Amino acid sequence: MKEYEQYPMWDAALPLEQRLDDLIKRLTIEEKISLIPTREAAVPRLGIPAYNVGGEAAHGVAWKGEATVFPQPLGLSSTWNTALMREIGSVIGDEARAYHHREPERHGLTLWAPTVDLERDPRWGRTEEGYGEDPLLTGEMSAALVQGMQGNHSFYLKMVATLKHFFANNNEKDRLNCSSSIDPRNLREYYLKAFETPFVEGGALSMMTAYNSINGTPAIESPYVNDVVKGEWAMPGFIVCDGGDLSQTVNYHGYHATHAESAAGALKAGVDCLTDEVDLVVAALQEALDRDLLKEEDMDRAIRNIFGVRMRLGQLDRSGLNPYASIPESVLCAPEHAKLSYRAAVESIVLLKNDGVLPLKPDALRKVSVIGPLADAVFTDWYSGTLPYRITVLDGLRNRLTDAEIFYEDGNDRISLQTQEGQVVSIGEEGTVVAVPEGSAEKAVFIHQDWGWGSHTLRSVNNNRYITLTEQGKYQAIAPEIGGWFVKEVVQFDPEIDNSHLLRTWNGLPLGLAEYKGKHVLAPVADSSEAGAAASKANELVIGAKEPVRLVKHVESDGIKRAAASAKASDLSVVVVGNSPYINGKEEIDRPGLTLPSEQVRLVKEVCKANPNTVVVIVGSYPFALQELKDIAPAIVYLTHAGQELGHAVADVLLGTYAPAGRLNMTWYEDESQLPDIMEYDIINNGTTYMYHEGPVLYPFGHGLTYSPFEYDAIHAQRIKGVSGADILKVEVQVRNAGEVANDEVVQIYGRPQTSRVKRPLKQLIGFKRIHFTPGEVRTVSFEIPVQKLAFWDVTRDRYCIETATWSIMAGRSSEDIRQTVDMEIEGEVVPARQLDLPTFAENFDEYAGVLLDECLEGRSAVRAVVPEETLYKGDQLSWIAFLNNEAQGAHTFEARVSAFGTDGELQIRSGGPDGALLGTCPVPMNGSESTPGQARSDSQWTTVQCALQPEQELERLYIVFQGGAAIQQFRLKC
């Protein structure tokens, strides 16, 4: 036995806290610093191995090599199946262990998944990574995945799930320096609620903070980490920041002047592990200690949290009792894992529309045309694992319809390009795209895919490779697929008035022809950043083109005409359309709109015209607006990019081998005009998600058709005591499969109070179950729902509240397809009138307009007016907050804690409305503060101001109107 193995830290029989105490006292300060970066250093003298925190596992282990790939998380959530999620999580844990055994210091076991961010706006570029727009569904599905990933041992962990990104991270534009404005009700009832379940019920032991700020404070220093995650929820694991966020807090948010201040702020706010360059982290921590910004006990706390998890993973353990240490490498891509991938894919499929076309009758199909740009493709995304194999929709139908003749057309034009001077574009050596005199070489023919919003790809017919901008600064047809952080396969086509096109790179740089090895190669112009970077490299480099070149596009073969002809000659057409996860919506890029690309819409229309017996399959990372297609296509099927078994899953649903039962986890709006600005995070005030949207929608939350009709009857609801002693709402509903097909059904329970002091959801999901029914089977489906799920956040008392009210408890097949309703009385409490003679936090308003929540270093959030340079500024709109149902008699003075952001301001105190009777005015001077909106600093000057109020005025509805840079943290009325 080595000497260090005799230390208590190595004795797994001892209590964990005792082992951690021993570890902390043995580490030097330098060693402690080296254990804070995500690439944690080894401490050989104590036997501590190097350890790599991080890695991706959103829908399978990623970035390590071949692994089982499941549907994108949005698709996993479409299954509404928590038991399936636990199984998937367990497979991810097994395969993570296999890679860890192979290279333990390289492949860690604390992987960054699942993404719990709520998707209140479908334009978010990372929609594919989340679980939908509902906090209950997101919470329960992600909690189940976490349970599977971490295993069920009482002490040891298979792996550790890292929930991300905490929180209100639902826009990519300006994500490194923007601030999400979240009032307490949205915060508690929506954004935090989704994270609570995977922590409290799922037992997640790690979390990643977001890039954005919340109410002016960067998430890496959010008070909700210590106060809520580690405090209220008592999460015993460790917190990590998002990649590079230590330095970005300085470089983008401008929140600190130095990395030392950033490191100190993060650790004190509850972040334990810093994801940034190791040397930067180490230097920042050392400086923070030297400047007394950080104490050694702050690092001790972080290391205790980190190693509490590492020890439960089986490190520093000589007992041999870790059951997960023996998981063999042979579990990677095991056949049973492939079967589970298929099951996840097939259960995720949502039947949006069916006019009787589905299920297909295989015996009647002799000629089938499979059409579309995604018909013979299985795409991965940035967080996908490496596919061990891929089954496309074309493959799946060929495998299942062995007696039918299958025709395939991708629907894309084949084009060639020619300069205005008559040179033709050809493919030269090593796939280089060159321009040569006509007749001197074979012209290149490209498969031209128009992805919409100016994004195009060109794939060489000759070698089936995409043209891409290489590190040398020239274009070559060498990319087997579209991908990468910078998607250099994208080419923009700018039409010119003379029928030519100016081509641009993925990031908008014009293309021209440059001399290279005696050839004219396609490359960015000389002064572009790409060409400049290439020119700085060694060896053979492209010299950038001197000027842009205009290219004439010749259509060699019309893709839509070919597709329509194929459809017309077939018994059935299956058109597969959708998106590439790397184009027009991804990390760093929000989606510009909700529609399918116009060329795909035109393709579907022409195929349906040619053959009315057409099924449209949409493979996409997010919801779409399908107004142009909803009345044209007789059947529409939706699934996300679903991994290796995508094609078999689609084929089996179309052919009726498997009856679909997936449900939408997001509202499918008619168009983006129904959505507010993407920075509007208030779902209550802006009427977004199924809970608050009052207008028509294309397909509602929870929607999904089945091959068997289901009938609902005899709903009952009663309030009982649960096993734990807490009150439970027991709901029972009778469900019958009224058809002749065995089918799953997703039974959904919604609730709504008929009266409330505040605006409540139109409907709120409070329970769901996915259950398999045989033909004719009748079941009484029972739910036990904590009554606490009916609570709302009472801003007048800073706590959850269950009101006394009549509740409508609804059972149905979607949020709009309600089949049974029962009313029941819920005994709770009546929210008392506000006592405005007590200190009242400004953020606890009832109503508002034209304001944002910002940072106040005295605690809670400040409220201020939106200023002209900010996204949400709306011209001459008044900025105000309202406090309603007040009890205040004889108030003669208004007193407030205030500051001024950017310029002097004032607060107008009014009664009855924002333009009601003026009761008093409080000037808010700058007081030397240098704060600017959205960037409150430590030198902000907060002061107490008072103003007299007009006597004998009605104060039941009190309004505070903002002028200039006035900001308020709290106030009270003196009587």
Side-chain angles (χ1 to χ4, degrees), residues 381-425:
D381 57 52
W382 180 248
Y383 291 110
S384 287
T386 302
L387 291 164
Y389 62 89
R390 59 186 76 198
I391 305 296
T392 69
V393 174
L394 178 62
D395 296 330
L397 288 169
R398 280 176 172 164
N399 292 343
R400 299 304 195 237
L401 291 173
T402 54
D403 294 332
E405 191 174 1
I406 308 291
F407 304 99
Y408 166 63
E409 288 289 350
D410 61 17
N412 293 323
D413 290 344
R414 271 55 174 171
I415 69 167
S416 60
L417 298 170
Q418 186 175 22
T419 69
Q420 290 177 310
E421 291 74 28
Q423 290 181 304
V424 297
V425 172

Side-chain angles (χ1 to χ4, degrees), residues 135 154 189 197 212 222 241 252 255 275 282 300 307 344 360 431 524 556 578 602 659 745 778 780:
S154 60
E189 296 175 26
T197 304
N212 56 284
S222 170
C241 69
Y252 286 88
Y255 190 76
T275 313
V282 169
D300 290 348
F307 274 85
L360 303 171
E556 305 289 333
R602 192 164 70 92
E745 173 66 342
V778 179
T780 297

